[in-house]
Amino acid sequence: MLEKLTNTFSGIVKTVAGKSTITEKNIEETVEQIKMALLEADVNLRVVRRFVNATVEEAKGEKVLRAVDPGQQFVKIIYDRIVKLLGDQKTDLQLKGPDTQSVILLLGLQGAGKTTAAHKLAARLVKEGRKPLLAACDLARPAAIEQLQALGEKIGVEVYAEKGEKSAVKVAKNAISHAKKGGFDTIILDTAGRLQVDEELMKELSDVKKAADPVETILVADAMTGQNAVDIAKTFDEQLGLTGVILTKFDSDARGGAALSLKTITGKPILFIGTGEKTEDFEPFHPDRIASRILGMGDVVSLVEKAQEVVDQEEAEKLQKKMARNDFTLDDMLDQFDKVNKMGSISSIMDMIPGLAGQIDESKINLDGMKRQKAIIQSMTKKERANHLIIGPSRRKRIAKGSGTSVQEVNKLLKQFEKTKLTMKKLTRNKGMQAKLMQQFAGR
């Protein structure tokens, strides 16, 4: 995500951070590079001007020019300014207590991803201990109700729908009544969209909002549309009054214009970002963490949080004991493949690792190779997975044939596995590193 912006900014940071002295000329040259990078990223011109003026004013002060480490101080100013553009700090949903109902109204144009965002948000609320109800208020798009019902069933969340009903207002009211009777504490209204903003759409949404009295009125916008997403947010806010924005397809946005312009232009925070197609590819928006990614500094905190979601404390302790006994097996390796896959796309994980953000093209990562490795392990017997040493030439031929791969690939996997075991054995001897990993990944 934001690859173009990250590549440019990480280059600027590397150059500036290493300077022992900073002059006004250095500042002007660097800020000009930043200005061009932001404009190329489709950031609103007014936002760029404010950013540039504020950065120059602060950087030319004695704070930087006479600092002990002026290069690092200048980088800190750039970082702080980007955080401010993105919204200063994370904004949480303003939901009521569990004993009453909170209505979340999702708005947006057709194709922005409202229905997908609705089910992702519902899944997140379930993890947080809430009991959400999805309400199918999109009565215009063919199969919208069926899509929401399928997604609701996938995550085990009930969907309220009235097939054949023509009034979205009536469906919204009835959904809220149903929620009260059923003990649901959150109602997510998935509303209709249009290909563009029009009077009919705004009238319907306005009527639904009056009837539902939501605590959150959230626009779902496509991050890849850049300035168009910002203009749409401004229009929706002026006519309906937004409380926040969900940016979808954030993982595919190489520029970042929408994210960097939204808060300044609309005054509304970005609440969540969609980072992939899976249900779990949905993250709270942390301005400081995204700023860190943009500058190529990674986001270790988010990486650890993702790891905690797929590895609990008990599993981590079991793995530690296996490593200590040198009992790590091919079954364990297969399990680790699955856990990494659950954490999200390879590129999103790389974006969180300091020094790798924006530096790796996912298209060049051999994702097919990972699938083939899984197929090889899955073609082994239980005994072979438990003890790789019994896998001789004839067994390797059988495994290669069963997995649709070659003997060479089977050999390569086994060598990789042996190296992994050796690395883990060394790790168990380093008690300090071991304790640190356990503390992070077990969530202590």
Side-chain angles (χ1 to χ4, degrees):
M1 59 183 76
L2 314 182
E3 292 87 357
K4 290 182 181 178
L5 198 60
T6 297
N7 286 336
T8 304
F9 268 93
S10 58
I12 292 171
V13 166
K14 283 177 185 175
T15 302
V16 173
K19 290 188 179 293
S20 56
T21 58
I22 293 285
T23 65
E24 291 194 8
K25 186 180 179 183
N26 291 150
I27 292 168
E28 288 169 2
E29 288 174 349
T30 303
V31 169
E32 185 62 27
Q33 284 181 278
I34 292 170
K35 177 183 172 183
M36 293 309 298
L38 293 174
L39 290 173
E40 286 173 8
D42 197 26
V43 177
N44 181 276
L45 181 59
R46 181 153 61 96
V47 175
V48 174
R49 282 175 179 161
R50 283 188 189 180
F51 182 91
V52 167
N53 292 338
T55 303
V56 169
E57 183 180 348
E58 192 172 349
K60 283 187 176 182
E62 292 184 8
K63 187 178 178 182
V64 168
L65 299 179
R66 298 186 183 181
V68 175
D69 194 335
Q72 292 288 351
Q73 190 67 40
F74 190 17
V75 170
K76 176 69 166 56
I77 289 172
I78 295 170
Y79 168 79
D80 288 342
R81 286 292 155 190
I82 292 176
V83 172
K84 193 169 183 64
L85 276 192
L86 293 169
D88 281 326
Q89 59 188 1
K90 174 179 172 284
T91 303
D92 296 319
L93 291 173
Q94 301 303 303
L95 302 181
K96 298 175 183 177
D99 297 329
T100 185
Q101 282 69 42
S102 299
V103 178
I104 300 173
L105 177 61
L106 296 186
L107 317 169
L109 295 186
Q110 193 171 311
K114 283 191 305 302
T115 303
T116 302
H119 104 277
K120 287 182 176 182
L121 178 57
R124 174 164 284 275
L125 291 175
V126 169
K127 283 185 178 180
E128 292 173 1
R130 297 189 73 91
K131 186 182 178 183
L133 173 72
L134 286 163
C137 297
D138 182 353
L139 309 177
R141 182 169 61 89
I145 293 175
E146 288 81 0
Q147 183 191 0
L148 188 63
Q149 286 175 327
L151 291 171
E153 186 178 349
K154 178 183 174 184
I155 60 173
V157 170
E158 186 178 331
V159 175
Y160 181 86
E162 294 183 29
K163 290 186 179 178
E165 177 57 55
K166 300 290 177 69
S167 171
V169 172
K170 187 176 178 182
V171 174
K173 283 182 176 179
N174 291 344
I176 294 169
S177 296
H178 178 76
K180 287 177 181 176
K181 293 174 187 175
F184 295 92
D185 55 35
T186 313
I187 304 99
I188 301 172
L189 304 181
D190 178 28
T191 61
R194 300 282 191 280
L195 293 176
Q196 58 188 20
V197 176
D198 60 28
E199 192 175 331
E200 184 185 353
L201 172 65
M202 288 302 177
K203 175 70 169 63
E204 179 181 303
L205 295 176
S206 177
D207 290 343
V208 171
K209 184 175 180 181
K210 284 176 186 175
D213 189 24
V215 294
E216 293 281 1
T217 302
I218 303 171
L219 176 75
V220 179
D222 183 343
M224 292 180 69
T225 60
Q227 278 307 296
N228 191 36
V230 180
D231 294 338
I232 291 166
K234 190 177 178 184
T235 302
F236 270 88
D237 183 45
E238 288 170 350
Q239 298 196 42
L240 295 165
L242 300 176
T243 56
V245 179
I246 292 173
L247 280 181
T248 61
K249 305 173 190 175
F250 198 74
D251 57 312
S252 301
D253 181 19
R255 299 183 299 173
L260 287 162
S261 304
L262 259 166
K263 186 65 166 64
T264 303
I265 299 300
T266 68
K268 307 302 174 184
I270 299 170
L271 301 171
F272 298 95
I273 50 175
T275 57
E277 296 178 2
K278 299 175 186 174
T279 300
E280 58 270 23
D281 294 335
F282 191 71
E283 302 175 13
F285 187 77
H286 294 267
D288 54 341
R289 299 185 191 182
I290 297 298
S292 185
R293 292 191 208 183
I294 288 173
L295 295 179
M297 298 172 180
D299 180 4
V300 175
V301 177
S302 291
L303 183 61
V304 170
E305 284 178 355
K306 278 184 172 287
Q308 287 173 353
E309 287 178 9
V310 297
V311 182
D312 62 25
Q313 184 172 337
E314 190 178 339
E315 286 179 327
E317 287 174 350
K318 283 181 181 178
L319 182 60
Q320 183 194 29
K321 288 175 182 176
K322 282 197 168 196
M323 288 162 57
R325 296 193 306 263
N326 201 25
D327 283 346
F328 187 77
T329 68
L330 284 159
D331 260 329
D332 296 319
M333 190 175 191
L334 185 63
D335 186 50
Q336 296 312 305
F337 281 153
D338 289 335
K339 283 184 169 56
V340 169
N341 189 46
K342 285 179 184 176
M343 286 173 65
S345 66
I346 295 296
S347 63
S348 70
I349 294 172
M350 293 300 178
D351 280 346
M352 297 178 194
I353 301 174
L356 292 184
Q359 301 300 309
I360 295 179
D361 182 355
E362 186 170 5
S363 65
K364 293 179 181 177
I365 298 173
N366 188 7
L367 297 175
D368 184 56
M370 293 182 188
K371 291 178 184 176
R372 294 170 78 84
Q373 287 182 328
K374 283 184 69 174
I376 290 170
I377 298 174
Q378 288 166 340
S379 296
M380 296 176 184
T381 64
K382 287 184 178 180
K383 286 185 178 180
E384 288 167 345
R385 292 188 205 180
N387 181 12
H388 72 289
L389 297 176
I390 68 171
I391 306 176
S394 61
R395 289 176 184 261
R396 295 184 189 211
K397 284 182 183 179
R398 191 206 77 244
I399 292 166
K401 187 176 180 181
S403 60
T405 60
S406 65
V407 173
Q408 287 80 8
E409 286 176 284
V410 175
N411 292 339
K412 186 177 178 181
L413 172 71
L414 293 172
K415 283 183 181 178
Q416 180 185 329
F417 173 70
E418 286 174 351
K419 283 183 181 178
T420 301
K421 281 195 73 170
L422 184 62
T423 301
M424 288 183 166
K425 190 176 180 180
K426 289 178 180 177
L427 180 62
T428 57
R429 292 173 183 170
N430 187 335
K431 299 299 179 184
M433 179 63 75
Q434 189 184 119
K436 191 175 180 182
L437 283 174
M438 284 298 297
Q439 183 182 17
Q440 286 182 325
F441 289 95
R444 282 181 176 172

